[in-house]
Amino acid sequence: MEENRQPLLSPRDDEVVAVPQSHHHLVHDNLESFPAPANPSFISSTTFNPDSDDIPPIKGYSLGAVTQVFAGQVSTLDLAAVSVENSVIAGFCFGALLGMGSALETLCGQAFGAGQLDMLGIYMQRSWVILNAASVVLCFLYIFAQQILYGIGQTAAISKAAGVFAIYMIPQLFAYAMIFPLSKFLQSQSKMMVMAAIAAVTLILHTVFSWLLMLKLGWGLVGAAVVLDASWWIIVVAQMVYIVSGTCGRAWTGFSWKAFHGLWGFVKLSLASAVMLW
């Protein structure tokens, strides 16, 4: 029975079994008998090309990390305040809005595949309406951040500092509501390199101005909040400028009242998407 068992590994290069020349001709003839694919680019598009638009952009998580690094050089209390606000208050809102914005992945993908490019902009605007409305509700987490953090066990000093920092970070919350639909809109069209370039430039500016305001000018937490808010909104404005400049073709035809149609169905889809992501 042992003689009939097949080897688990193929022979090594120095143990390759010789194949008769007639077999090579047979295989070659059979391969030529297969019809050519109807869309040759389908096969080539599945291979990785380092120069293609499949390279993912730099994530916005780096902005918060840079802020925490400089906050640690200011004081231990500032580092704790930034870390707690980023991980608890902003982290919760980030996950909620990202989940709701992820509903665009399915809708934009279907619209793009069906050739209904004009619906991409409509879906993005609907998501803006829903996510900004959700941000108004989530604002209360920022306003009462001090009480919330103290209630879950943080010290009074850290809760107070993080609560003040959270108030200054409310503009970032609405930047979340804008940037997540923008990102899904651009991703559905494989505009990844544009997003990466904008994120890279913003990260450099964020690092420079964080050093300037927080360390050189001594603004501390206020400087951290100003730079972090501005950095997120720079990404939003830059992506908006790119979209409205006409580079997306029929995918962006301007603002439309259609964005307010069928909102309830979009809300249910967004909430379901947020629950699945959590």
Side-chain angles (χ1 to χ4, degrees), residues 112-193:
F112 187 83
Q116 299 177 345
L117 299 182
D118 55 314
M119 290 303 299
L120 295 179
I122 302 300
Y123 288 149
M124 180 176 64
Q125 293 174 59
R126 286 179 186 171
S127 187
W128 278 341
V129 174
I130 295 171
L131 264 63
N132 276 281
S135 296
V136 173
V137 177
L138 293 173
C139 269
F140 291 99
L141 294 179
Y142 285 74
I143 296 173
F144 298 103
Q146 178 178 349
Q147 292 81 356
I148 294 173
L149 294 175
Y150 186 76
I152 62 177
Q154 291 295 330
T155 64
I158 294 177
S159 299
K160 182 178 180 180
V164 173
F165 184 67
I167 296 295
Y168 287 119
M169 293 309 300
I170 290 178
Q172 182 195 51
L173 174 63
F174 289 92
Y176 288 162
M178 297 295 294
I179 201 170
F180 294 147
L182 283 168
S183 298
K184 301 304 179 184
F185 175 83
L186 292 173
Q187 286 174 10
S188 66
Q189 303 169 71
S190 299
K191 305 288 187 180
M192 306 297 291
M193 290 305 299

Side-chain angles (χ1 to χ4, degrees), residues 14-234:
D14 55 353
E15 299 176 353
V16 176
V17 180
V19 179
Q21 187 67 23
S22 59
H23 287 193
H24 286 290
H25 292 294
L26 180 61
V27 173
H28 183 267
D29 294 340
N30 287 336
L31 289 176
E32 289 184 341
S33 65
F34 283 99
N39 185 10
S41 62
F42 172 77
I43 297 178
S44 62
S45 64
T46 59
T47 59
F48 175 74
N49 181 3
D51 296 326
S52 68
D53 291 343
D54 295 330
I55 302 176
I58 300 174
K59 297 296 184 182
Y61 300 107
S62 302
L63 300 178
V66 171
T67 301
Q68 289 184 212
V69 169
F70 284 106
Q73 299 183 42
V74 175
S75 70
T76 304
L77 179 60
D78 287 355
L79 174 60
V82 173
S83 300
V84 169
E85 192 277 338
N86 276 339
S87 59
V88 179
I89 305 300
F92 177 85
C93 297
F94 183 96
L97 294 178
L98 176 61
M100 296 179 69
S102 295
L104 281 181
E105 289 185 9
T106 301
L107 295 175
C108 286
Q110 291 176 346
F112 187 83
Q116 299 177 345
L117 299 182
D118 55 314
M119 290 303 299
L120 295 179
I122 302 300
Y123 288 149
M124 180 176 64
Q125 293 174 59
R126 286 179 186 171
S127 187
W128 278 341
V129 174
I130 295 171
L131 264 63
N132 276 281
S135 296
V136 173
V137 177
L138 293 173
C139 269
F140 291 99
L141 294 179
Y142 285 74
I143 296 173
F144 298 103
Q146 178 178 349
Q147 292 81 356
I148 294 173
L149 294 175
Y150 186 76
I152 62 177
Q154 291 295 330
T155 64
I158 294 177
S159 299
K160 182 178 180 180
V164 173
F165 184 67
I167 296 295
Y168 287 119
M169 293 309 300
I170 290 178
Q172 182 195 51
L173 174 63
F174 289 92
Y176 288 162
M178 297 295 294
I179 201 170
F180 294 147
L182 283 168
S183 298
K184 301 304 179 184
F185 175 83
L186 292 173
Q187 286 174 10
S188 66
Q189 303 169 71
S190 299
K191 305 288 187 180
M192 306 297 291
M193 290 305 299
V194 175
M195 299 169 60
I198 293 173
V201 173
T202 304
L203 181 60
I204 295 173
L205 293 175
H206 178 79
T207 303
V208 172
F209 281 98
S210 292
W211 169 81
L212 178 63
L213 270 66
M214 296 178 65
L215 300 184
K216 296 297 292 183
L217 298 182
W219 286 19
L221 286 180
V222 176
V226 169
V227 177
L228 195 54
D229 288 337
S231 297
W232 277 94
W233 276 101
I234 286 174

